[in-house]
Amino acid sequence: MSGYTLTYFPFRGRAEPIRLLLADQWASWTENEVQTADWFSGKCGLKKNTVFGQLPRFQDGDFDLYQSNSILRYLGNKHGISGSNNQEKALVDMVNDGVEDLRQKYGRLIFMEFETGKEKYITDLPNQLSAFEKILSQNSNGTKFLVGDKISYADYNLLDILHCHLDLDPNCLSTFPLLSAYVERLASRPKLSEYLKSEKRNKRRITPKHQ
Ligand code: GSN
């Protein structure tokens, strides 16, 4: 077997940063879409055959990988976008861990406390996003990427979680000029722009909780 295969549910979720990376890096991949009902009924036996009982799953030929951040890091290393030296690599990992922390908070809101917690979450959001504005400001005055001169796997992860938050609160970046420009800049990269406008992306909801 050769080529990339991404197995996930019919929404963007934790597969989307991987898709952004693959699209922007001109990689082609096959989508293996698992219906949630089939997954939970055990019909396809997929859940019990995964390493942690969860998706996404990523296959590179016969190589099989789970955990979305490990998949991002693997692709980052393979495509030369995980930092240009040991210090940059460590910073890319650090920022990606920061995105993961925010993604977990976002997931808790969406899946567990949306009705009761949305207002408080949005009020507190500047405190969460300011760290990323500061990180950008410390690299080429925010005109490039999170780390160094090249895009990294952490940029795709940040772009995706910012898209999720813009859906939650379209004004959430209004006090962050660098993050606002960053989202525009990344989203206008030719391959990313093509993917972001594509039907296959737009037919997928952000999470199963979204309409
Ligand atoms: O990043 C990762 O891949 C893991 N640390 C988390 C994966 C995960 O949470 N997968 C969910 C779908 S994404 N979130 O909502 C999953 O596979 N849920 C189905 C299940 O049976 O747990």
Side-chain angles (χ1 to χ4, degrees), residues 8-9 11 14 39-40 47 53-56 67-69 111:
Y8 198 60
F9 304 106
F11 50 88
R14 282 184 173 270
W39 173 265
F40 284 110
K47 183 174 169 73
Q54 292 190 313
L55 297 175
Q67 291 290 354
S68 57
N69 288 298
F111 290 105

Side-chain angles (χ1 to χ4, degrees), residues 140-153:
S140 303
N141 295 319
T143 59
K144 290 186 176 161
F145 305 104
L146 287 165
V147 179
D149 288 340
K150 265 176 86 174
I151 200 162
S152 72
Y153 73 84

Side-chain angles (χ1 to χ4, degrees), residues 1-189:
M1 195 171 84
S2 67
Y4 292 156
T5 303
L6 180 60
T7 302
Y8 198 60
F9 304 106
F11 50 88
R12 295 181 204 164
R14 282 184 173 270
E16 199 61 14
I18 300 166
R19 296 190 183 107
L20 297 179
L21 183 156
L22 291 171
D24 193 51
Q25 295 298 312
W26 297 62
S28 58
W29 74 98
T30 303
E31 292 278 352
N32 180 24
E33 191 173 279
V34 175
Q35 300 308 313
T36 317
D38 292 344
W39 173 265
F40 284 110
S41 72
K43 191 169 139 191
C44 43
L46 247 176
K47 183 174 169 73
K48 69 175 170 37
N49 288 324
T50 65
V51 175
F52 298 105
Q54 292 190 313
L55 297 175
R57 173 191 192 186
F58 187 77
Q59 291 158 279
D60 179 0
D62 293 331
F63 179 60
D64 212 1
L65 194 61
Y66 293 87
Q67 291 290 354
S68 57
N69 288 298
S70 299
I71 297 165
L72 283 173
R73 202 170 295 113
Y74 170 73
L75 288 169
N77 286 326
K78 189 165 171 180
H79 289 266
I81 46 166
S82 56
S84 304
N85 55 47
N86 284 340
Q87 291 191 351
E88 279 193 12
K89 284 179 198 295
L91 291 174
V92 170
D93 288 346
M94 178 190 81
V95 181
N96 198 61
D97 284 346
V99 175
E100 171 62 23
D101 288 348
L102 180 56
R103 189 176 295 280
Q104 289 194 13
K105 287 174 192 156
Y106 173 77
R108 266 196 301 280
L109 171 73
I110 299 294
F111 290 105
M112 284 146 73
E113 1 182 279
F114 195 72
E115 302 307 328
T116 53
K118 185 179 174 194
E119 205 175 314
K120 183 168 177 290
Y121 186 93
I122 289 177
T123 306
D124 185 52
L125 201 44
N127 296 325
Q128 306 297 326
L129 297 177
S130 60
F132 298 104
E133 179 85 359
K134 187 168 174 194
I135 290 166
L136 276 183
S137 75
Q138 290 168 344
N139 184 34
S140 303
N141 295 319
T143 59
K144 290 186 176 161
F145 305 104
L146 287 165
V147 179
D149 288 340
K150 265 176 86 174
I151 200 162
S152 72
Y153 73 84
D155 287 296
Y156 301 111
N157 205 9
L158 179 60
L159 179 63
D160 176 64
I161 203 68
L162 292 175
H163 281 151
C164 295
H165 284 88
L166 283 165
D167 175 78
L168 185 69
D169 172 14
N171 293 318
C172 72
L173 297 186
S174 59
T175 54
F176 297 114
L178 299 180
L179 281 173
S180 300
Y182 170 86
V183 167
E184 294 294 316
R185 196 164 62 247
L186 262 58
S188 65
R189 289 165 67 89

